[in-house]
Amino acid sequence: MYGTNMGIRKRLTWVLIIASGMFVILMSRLAWVQFVHGDELQKKALEVRMRDIPVEAKRGAILDRNGNELVTSISVDSIYATPGHVKEPQETAEKLAPILGMDFDKLYTKLTKNSSFEWLERKVDSEASQKIRELNLPGINFVEESKRYYLHPSLASHVLGFTGTDNQGLIGIEKSYDAELRGQPGRIVTEYDAAGREVPEAIHQYIPPKPGYDLVLTIDETIQYFVERELDKVVAQYNPKFALAIVMDPETGGILAMGNRPTFDSSRWTEEPREIWDKNPAIYYNYEPGSTFKIVTAASALDEGTVHAGDSFYDPGFIKVADHNLHCWKAGGHGSQTFAEVVQNSCNPCFAEVGMKLGKDNFYKYIKAFGLGAPLGINLPGEASGIIIPQKNATNLNLAIMAIGQSIAVTPIQLISAAAAVANDGVLMKPQLVKELRYNGKTIKKIKPEKVREVVSAETSRQLRNLLESVVAEGTGSNAFVEGYRVGGKTGTAQVVGEKGGYVSGKYVASFAGMAPVDDPKMVMLVVIAEPQGGSYYGGVVAAPVFQAIARDTLRYMGLPEIPSQKKPKQPWEVETPSANVTVPNVLNYPVDEAIQILKAAGLQYQTSGEGNIVCKQTPGAGGQVKNGTSVILNLQPVKQNGKDGELITVPNLKGLTIKEAGNILEEIGLRLVPEGTGLAVTQSVKPGTKVTGGTSVKVKFAPPDEDNDAQPPSGESNAVQEPSNITNPYEN
Amino acid sequence: MRMRRGAPDFILFLTVLILLSIGLVMVFSASAYFAGDPEGPFKDPFHFFKRQLFGAALGIGVMIFMMNYDYHYLKKWVGLMLASALVMLVMVLIPGIGMSVLGARRWIDLGIISFQPSELVKIFITTFTAYGLAQKNELIQKFGKGLLPFLLVTGLAALLILAQPDLGTAATLCGTIFIMLFAAGARGGHLTALAGLGAAGVAAAIYFEPYRMRRFTAFLDPEADPTGSGWNILNALMSLASGGLLGTGLGQGRHSKFLFLPERHTDFIFAAIGEELGFIGGCLVILLFILLAWRGFRVAITCPDTFGSLLAAGLVSGIVLQAFVNIGVVTGSLPVTGITLPFISFGSTSLIFSLMGVGIILNISRYSSRK
């Protein structure tokens, strides 16, 4: 007998069916979560569980045009804490504070913070990092980061620039090519629990960083040396407010050298006052070019046909323009002269006349065509545009004054580019600093020279260059004369314009713009000495000798043939200086130490360029006659590997050697040393006995031997001076 | 009228034991990292497992006892059950007797162990309702004389549970009684009105309680506040999704283990199952509950007397409803409400009383008319 009535059974059956149906709905919902949205949610889950430790990419090197390294990156340790793993924050902070030179409270706060990653100190020196490693503190970890290493402190500092703590470019090439140099950071991804602790058997993932591109500059390290050397000299002599020299290849617009004084050490920029590194005067300084601008005026007038070299002029010592008397620098004037002589004499009244004759429209047309009044677009941050009176406001008087390089402000880079156009048969090139980008030693992008426009004809240029040669040979620029070469140029002496307009009395800008050889110029140079002190301030006296010295060494270094007949004509007031001439001895292929001794014995100075210990090139060459005390440039290179190309080299055991010893051994057999730390070699990246190809880098860790460690005085004081954080840099972020 | 006792429903018995075993393993797997945390309060990976094992042993004892205790005798206790149910629900609300955990007073502290009276109350009210409905028989069609007493009792109990507050349990209780009223033959009009009233009640309970409202909005859009109100459901979904088809393997769950999934061994244990055992494991658990429902309702259908039939139906409904709501919450199909997964979630009280309910159903099955 069925005790339960049929109604209940029927209804319960319904309940069962509905219940099962609802569970089936749950199953489909489960499938929807696990499959339809599965990937997306799984990815999200990983994101929630995984945390990143960034791994910095190796910043690209900066090389000169011949591939010599100017800036590289070296490996240093940065220290971070994983607060969840720090066992005894109190004790840990006490131990770390003195080594890192940090405040105990600040450290303690970091160590107890509720986070999984806290930087303690970035880029600590190897000694401190070694000490901390030895303490073996739980929760304190190390990350290898790279630090910028400027191989030649204060060489082309404004051009190269520098980087901040995160290796971000702040100034110079480092900034303008930051994206290329930077590379792509990698990551170490680790799995954490919700309390911020690394979990057992955590998933680790290493995403390697992609190193940045290497930059090959148009800068020539050797020419840059000449520039730096001569700037140092002129600073010592005249103590100017600042001094700069730019050397350019007129055919490509490539900057061969660019130097400024005062300068700074790129690796210690935080210790220098901001106004020194903040701006690059060579591209930023707006100044009245004075007579050097007559190159532009003369080129315009010759090209337009307003004047010809043989036209005659008369200079009574002044010219009257709109009730103003414009005086010539020479009292009484130059009298009757041809245009060639006008240029030679840098005669102001006659140039004013030429400017007015040229007329406003024509003059402005050429000024603009020469690239003045607007940035040229050199790839450096902070280029100024110069200041030009708007064309519609310009009066006749303005024209007359502008023709002699006043009432117009230009930047050094603009003026040299204009001069380079004259050197380059009238074609203005865009000034460039970077020649190519390399990745892993392979060129991946060449930056082609950029023609801006043809400003004047080749014929005009040729004519003007001959006039400029006569300025040096017979006129105001005689101090720029380089024996053996045909040099052309123009001096300039202008008064400094005060902040409120009007000239500041007693403050001058002495400059010289020149090129050589004039028949086919290979280099153009501008030297600007602002506010020289100690009497002389004429461009021909202060700036021309700087030009002469740099040009002389550069032309020889470039290997341009000397013309024996090209002797400096004796000026009547000149007295033969009793400086003995020395014949340069041959040091080619000598080891560098020996070469230096030979040069010293001969009464010569030396300067090295490049890396290595064998002289592969010397400038000037053997047999050349130079003055006593002249510097001979030694280009160095590592010893050539005696094995044939492709032959493998066996890596030696370096353990226990000093950096120098290890470096010598590796260099001798054709390998490179990448040292890390100081002291004696402990480990090496390539095992002894391994066969590698020539030129392979061997990373070697050096550590101080224990007994030495105690004997050495604590050097924490001097080493702890890292970029202080209170210096705020406007270029960060 | 006495009948000879037969053997209990073996499939139901086995289903429950399988669910229980899955629960034990998963409670251990999900809680071991948290419980074994050297910096945590327990420092013993087996902390929860041991307690669950104890609860399971006790529960199986109770189940076997109830399996052999003639359910007809339960009728004698109905009055006492009703009274004690109401007393317990009032007591749990009194500070000093009721234990407050995470802002809810759901437990009574009995010294060594604490227990959750609402679990027992569910069985008592179910028994009372089954008894009452069996008495009323055709009268259930009437409202005043038939339906009203049950509504009053259930309503009062539900309100007291809601006061703890425990909306999930209150709703499950009401749902169970609703199914029993439907099974007993209440009028469609009445039931429709009741369902509407219940829905309105739940809506009001959500609307007037800010934390429920937050949970509800988080249910609609968990991404709006991923680290706040959306945290639970988001991490439950991430855990489930991390499992895929086959799961990460037993003990290999990561999201559910490493403290991202909240309530990982209690309310959200189904997410841990989904991660470690995958879609297959999750479906297995759901299928086991369907099996349990089938066998449970089969017992109710084949029971020779109305009391037994309604009692079995009520008890199995209670379990199945709770499982449905729990899995619904974990899969993001229902707003979050603190309710455990029967036989699987950690919690001795829930385990013991769920097994007690199954014990009663098994006893009823021994009188089945289809033997």
Side-chain angles (χ1 to χ4, degrees):
Chain A
M1 153 203 158
Y2 294 160
T4 316
N5 69 55
M6 288 304 287
I8 292 187
R9 291 157 127 211
K10 212 190 251 171
R11 287 190 287 267
L12 284 179
T13 309
W14 271 112
V15 172
L16 174 61
I17 291 167
I18 292 168
S20 308
M22 284 169 78
F23 275 116
V24 170
I25 291 173
L26 280 186
M27 281 200 261
S28 49
R29 167 75 188 180
L30 187 62
W32 186 81
V33 170
Q34 294 192 308
F35 303 126
V36 180
H37 279 237
D39 288 345
E40 171 201 338
L41 282 165
Q42 246 181 55
K43 222 167 126 192
K44 226 182 253 171
L46 272 177
E47 271 169 33
V48 169
R49 298 208 304 275
M50 307 296 260
R51 310 230 179 138
D52 282 9
I53 297 172
V55 181
E56 221 176 43
K58 191 175 185 227
R59 196 174 171 86
I62 302 179
L63 315 171
D64 90 336
R65 68 186 300 122
N66 302 317
N68 297 315
E69 282 182 341
L70 300 176
V71 188
T72 57
S73 287
I74 53 171
S75 296
V76 284
D77 281 327
S78 283
I79 299 173
Y80 70 90
T82 318
H85 291 176
V86 176
K87 288 260 152 52
E88 307 192 356
Q90 177 86 18
E91 202 185 308
T92 308
E94 270 169 20
K95 281 181 179 168
L96 289 179
I99 303 176
L100 292 173
M102 275 173 81
D103 189 43
F104 169 81
D105 292 331
K106 204 173 146 195
L107 264 176
Y108 185 79
T109 319
K110 283 187 174 189
L111 293 178
T112 51
K113 221 175 191 176
N114 182 21
S115 89
S116 60
F117 184 90
E118 263 322 293
W119 282 122
L120 295 185
E121 184 73 306
R122 306 279 298 274
K123 299 172 188 178
V124 296
D125 61 88
S126 56
E127 247 175 278
S129 102
Q130 186 60 33
K131 271 186 202 162
I132 295 167
R133 269 180 206 281
E134 278 162 16
L135 288 174
N136 205 11
L137 297 163
I140 304 296
N141 309 297
F142 299 81
V143 158
E144 194 180 293
E145 290 198 288
S146 67
K147 188 177 184 173
R148 254 348 209 177
Y149 177 53
Y150 298 86
L151 275 82
H152 312 286
S154 306
L155 186 87
S157 308
H158 286 94
V159 175
L160 300 176
F162 51 74
T163 59
T165 317
D166 289 313
N167 275 354
Q168 76 280 34
L170 298 180
I171 291 280
I173 286 282
E174 293 271 30
K175 179 176 177 161
S176 48
Y177 281 86
D178 194 41
E180 287 83 356
L181 289 165
R182 180 182 287 277
Q184 288 207 330
R187 291 179 301 160
I188 299 171
V189 187
T190 313
E191 193 179 11
Y192 288 85
D193 73 7
R197 296 167 303 190
E198 207 174 308
V199 301
E201 294 163 51
I203 303 169
H204 281 277
Q205 207 182 348
Y206 177 64
I207 300 156
K210 189 172 173 264
Y213 295 127
D214 294 339
L215 293 187
V216 179
L217 301 187
T218 57
I219 297 278
D220 189 304
E221 188 187 15
T222 308
I223 301 174
Q224 183 72 35
Y225 268 120
F226 299 147
V227 165
E228 303 285 353
R229 181 192 69 198
E230 292 308 318
L231 287 175
D232 280 341
K233 268 196 206 162
V234 79
V235 166
Q237 199 175 347
Y238 293 102
N239 191 25
K241 189 174 172 205
F242 59 82
L244 63 92
I246 308 172
V247 185
M248 197 188 236
D249 174 1
E251 281 164 31
T252 62
I255 306 287
L256 297 171
M258 183 185 271
N260 289 294
R261 288 292 176 280
T263 185
F264 58 94
D265 179 346
S266 287
S267 53
R268 312 170 77 103
W269 60 275
T270 50
E271 298 163 31
E272 308 277 4
R274 179 173 164 173
E275 56 269 25
I276 289 182
W277 47 255
D278 194 17
K279 301 229 160 87
N280 181 352
I283 60 164
Y284 169 74
Y285 179 49
N286 280 318
Y287 75 113
E288 289 201 352
S291 303
T292 50
F293 187 75
K294 288 170 185 164
I295 296 174
V296 174
T297 312
S300 312
L302 288 170
D303 197 59
E304 197 59 30
T306 314
V307 290
H308 302 278
D311 287 0
S312 28
F313 285 82
Y314 183 77
D315 169 28
F318 66 92
I319 185 170
K320 193 165 179 167
V321 186
D323 294 337
H324 280 76
N325 277 336
L326 261 176
H327 289 276
C328 191
W329 59 272
K330 187 178 177 189
H334 293 97
S336 185
Q337 52 190 344
T338 62
F339 184 65
E341 285 164 330
V342 167
V343 176
Q344 274 173 35
N345 295 330
S346 194
C347 176
N348 286 346
C350 298
F351 260 104
E353 195 186 325
V354 169
M356 287 187 290
K357 235 175 161 178
L358 190 56
K360 184 153 116 178
D361 291 346
N362 277 332
F363 201 9
Y364 268 86
K365 180 182 85 189
Y366 282 101
I367 285 174
K368 282 177 187 154
F370 269 114
L372 306 176
L376 284 160
I378 186 171
N379 217 329
L380 274 181
E383 191 189 352
S385 57
I387 305 160
I388 292 174
I389 297 169
Q391 189 173 348
K392 59 179 191 317
N393 300 345
T395 63
N396 230 17
L397 177 64
N398 291 144
L399 281 188
I401 295 177
M402 278 160 69
I404 60 172
Q406 290 173 23
S407 289
I408 182 168
V410 299
T411 61
I413 193 71
Q414 284 176 337
L415 193 79
I416 192 176
S417 300
V422 173
N424 190 34
D425 287 343
V427 179
L428 179 70
M429 301 299 291
K430 185 174 164 181
Q432 284 179 334
L433 269 167
V434 179
K435 239 173 66 162
E436 53 183 82
L437 297 183
R438 289 187 189 168
Y439 188 68
N440 279 336
K442 272 189 205 127
T443 302
I444 58 144
K445 188 185 174 189
K446 269 200 183 339
I447 294 161
K448 290 199 181 76
E450 245 177 86
K451 180 177 154 180
V452 180
R453 65 181 77 85
E454 193 178 326
V455 186
V456 293
S457 69
E459 174 55 25
T460 303
S461 304
R462 199 189 49 75
Q463 265 186 36
L464 182 55
R465 289 203 299 269
N466 286 335
L467 291 182
L468 293 176
E469 186 183 16
S470 69
V471 171
V472 172
E474 298 154 40
T476 49
S478 62
N479 280 336
F481 192 90
V482 178
E483 281 193 5
Y485 295 99
R486 294 180 61 191
V487 173
K490 187 75 198 73
T491 61
T493 312
Q495 272 183 285
V496 171
V497 178
E499 273 171 33
K500 291 172 186 164
Y503 294 108
V504 182
S505 77
K507 288 192 174 172
Y508 297 89
V509 179
S511 56
F512 188 91
M515 57 195 72
V518 289
D519 49 341
D520 181 18
K522 295 293 179 205
M523 56 141 275
V524 179
M525 192 194 316
L526 172 69
V527 177
V528 177
I529 316 290
E531 299 175 35
Q533 289 171 24
S536 292
Y537 55 83
Y538 289 112
V541 178
V542 179
V546 178
F547 173 92
Q548 189 271 341
I550 298 172
R552 175 197 64 206
D553 290 349
T554 302
L555 292 168
R556 284 180 186 160
Y557 165 77
M558 286 175 152
L560 297 171
E562 297 190 33
I563 307 160
S565 60
Q566 196 72 10
K567 290 266 194 279
K568 187 174 182 175
K570 292 262 156 28
Q571 301 287 356
W573 60 87
E574 261 189 340
V575 190
E576 186 74 46
T577 44
S579 85
N581 270 2
V582 179
T583 308
V584 179
N586 175 38
V587 291
L588 213 59
N589 292 327
Y590 277 71
V592 66
D593 299 342
E594 235 172 288
I596 289 167
Q597 278 179 4
I598 293 171
L599 289 178
K600 278 188 176 164
L604 295 169
Q605 299 291 315
Y606 69 96
Q607 272 188 347
T608 57
S609 154
E611 268 181 272
N613 49 11
I614 290 290
V615 177
C616 65
K617 190 178 174 192
Q618 66 176 93
T619 315
Q625 294 286 318
V626 294
K627 288 209 175 95
N628 202 350
T630 303
S631 280
V632 176
I633 305 294
L634 304 177
N635 289 71
L636 305 181
Q637 70 171 40
V639 180
K640 280 264 155 45
Q641 172 55 17
N642 38 12
K644 284 182 193 72
D645 276 0
E647 200 176 295
L648 294 179
I649 301 164
T650 310
V651 177
N653 188 358
L654 301 169
K655 197 161 179 168
L657 300 181
T658 64
I659 294 184
K660 203 176 161 190
E661 287 165 348
N664 283 340
I665 287 179
L666 289 181
E667 212 156 73
E668 242 161 71
I669 60 172
L671 298 180
R672 294 193 49 178
L673 173 69
V674 181
E676 195 179 307
T678 54
L680 301 180
V682 197
T683 57
Q684 59 191 85
S685 65
V686 187
K687 285 203 183 75
T690 316
K691 301 249 186 211
V692 295
T693 52
T696 301
S697 295
V698 181
K699 208 153 123 188
V700 182
K701 277 197 180 157
F702 294 89
D706 291 338
E707 58 273 19
D708 282 0
N709 221 8
D710 297 335
Q712 275 166 8
S715 55
E717 204 63 9
S718 60
N719 285 325
V721 186
Q722 293 274 325
E723 296 164 15
S725 55
N726 58 345
I727 290 189
T728 48
N729 187 313
Y731 298 95
E732 304 234 20
N733 308 320
Chain B
M1 177 184 77
R2 297 296 300 269
M3 303 198 59
R4 278 200 51 191
R5 296 212 293 202
D9 189 321
F10 182 68
I11 296 177
L12 178 59
F13 184 72
L14 201 65
T15 305
V16 170
L17 285 188
I18 293 171
L19 282 169
L20 204 57
S21 314
I22 293 176
L24 273 171
V25 170
M26 288 314 298
V27 162
F28 174 63
S29 180
S31 70
Y33 180 77
F34 164 65
D37 186 345
E39 291 158 30
F42 306 114
K43 299 180 177 58
D44 173 15
F46 296 98
H47 179 89
F48 294 102
F49 177 71
K50 284 194 278 200
R51 275 160 182 73
Q52 184 77 341
L53 198 61
F54 172 77
L58 207 61
I60 289 172
V62 170
M63 178 170 76
I64 289 171
F65 175 81
M66 292 313 295
M67 201 167 79
N68 292 298
Y69 181 83
D70 189 343
Y71 73 94
H72 295 100
Y73 294 142
L74 288 174
K75 292 180 186 171
K76 288 192 289 183
W77 304 99
V78 163
L80 189 63
M81 283 185 194
L82 188 58
S84 64
L86 296 177
V87 168
M88 280 191 295
L89 286 181
V90 171
M91 269 170 64
V92 80
L93 294 175
I94 300 168
I97 301 172
M99 233 168 52
S100 176
V101 177
L102 297 171
R105 290 187 188 282
R106 296 181 187 175
W107 285 268
I108 288 179
D109 194 354
L110 295 179
I112 345 160
I113 57 156
S114 52
F115 97 111
Q116 220 176 333
S118 52
E119 298 285 344
L120 190 54
V121 165
K122 263 162 56 184
I123 293 179
F124 285 0
I125 302 286
T126 305
T127 312
F128 161 78
T129 308
Y131 172 76
L133 287 173
Q135 297 291 317
K136 300 262 185 214
N137 225 344
E138 298 298 323
L139 258 172
I140 196 65
Q141 300 272 344
K142 301 262 188 291
F143 182 75
K145 284 189 175 170
L147 220 48
L148 196 61
F150 306 109
L151 297 186
L152 288 176
V153 168
T154 309
L156 182 59
L159 280 175
L160 285 168
I161 294 172
L162 201 57
Q164 294 180 356
D166 188 352
L167 176 62
T169 305
T172 319
L173 176 65
C174 291
T176 305
I177 303 304
F178 181 83
I179 291 170
M180 291 175 77
L181 293 177
F182 168 71
R187 285 166 67 172
H190 288 159
L191 289 172
T192 311
L194 274 182
L197 191 69
V202 169
I206 289 173
Y207 188 78
F208 291 109
E209 183 65 58
Y211 83 87
R212 286 195 194 117
M213 197 60 204
R214 277 199 299 278
R215 283 178 175 182
F216 187 70
T217 50
F219 160 68
L220 297 176
D221 181 14
E223 296 285 359
D225 185 10
T227 55
S229 55
W231 175 261
N232 290 16
I233 185 61
L234 271 181
N235 279 291
L237 293 179
M238 287 183 210
S239 298
L240 284 174
S242 301
L245 179 65
L246 298 172
T248 54
L250 198 57
Q252 300 294 312
R254 306 193 80 82
H255 207 79
S256 53
K257 263 196 184 51
F258 298 135
L259 317 182
F260 292 97
L261 181 67
E263 304 294 333
R264 60 203 74 81
H265 57 288
T266 56
D267 297 355
F268 281 99
I269 196 162
F270 189 76
I273 294 173
E275 185 181 17
E276 299 199 346
L277 307 177
F279 180 70
I280 299 290
C283 283
L284 177 70
V285 169
I286 293 174
L287 285 170
L288 284 168
F289 277 108
I290 294 178
L291 194 61
L292 184 137
W294 171 45
R295 297 311 292 189
F297 282 113
R298 189 175 177 276
V299 169
I301 288 166
T302 57
C303 180
D305 64 297
T306 311
F307 170 64
S309 182
L310 287 174
L311 181 58
L315 291 171
V316 75
S317 297
I319 293 167
V320 165
L321 254 178
Q322 197 179 331
F324 176 79
V325 172
N326 178 280
I327 297 174
V329 166
V330 174
T331 53
S333 326
L334 292 171
V336 173
T337 175
I339 200 170
T340 55
L341 186 57
F343 311 115
I344 293 183
S345 286
F346 174 79
S348 307
T349 316
S350 161
L351 205 54
I352 291 166
F353 293 130
S354 297
L355 286 168
M356 184 188 211
V358 174
I360 296 170
I361 299 169
L362 286 171
N363 180 260
I364 296 170
S365 77
R366 298 179 74 173
Y367 301 91
S368 168
S369 52
R370 281 201 181 160
K371 284 280 148 66

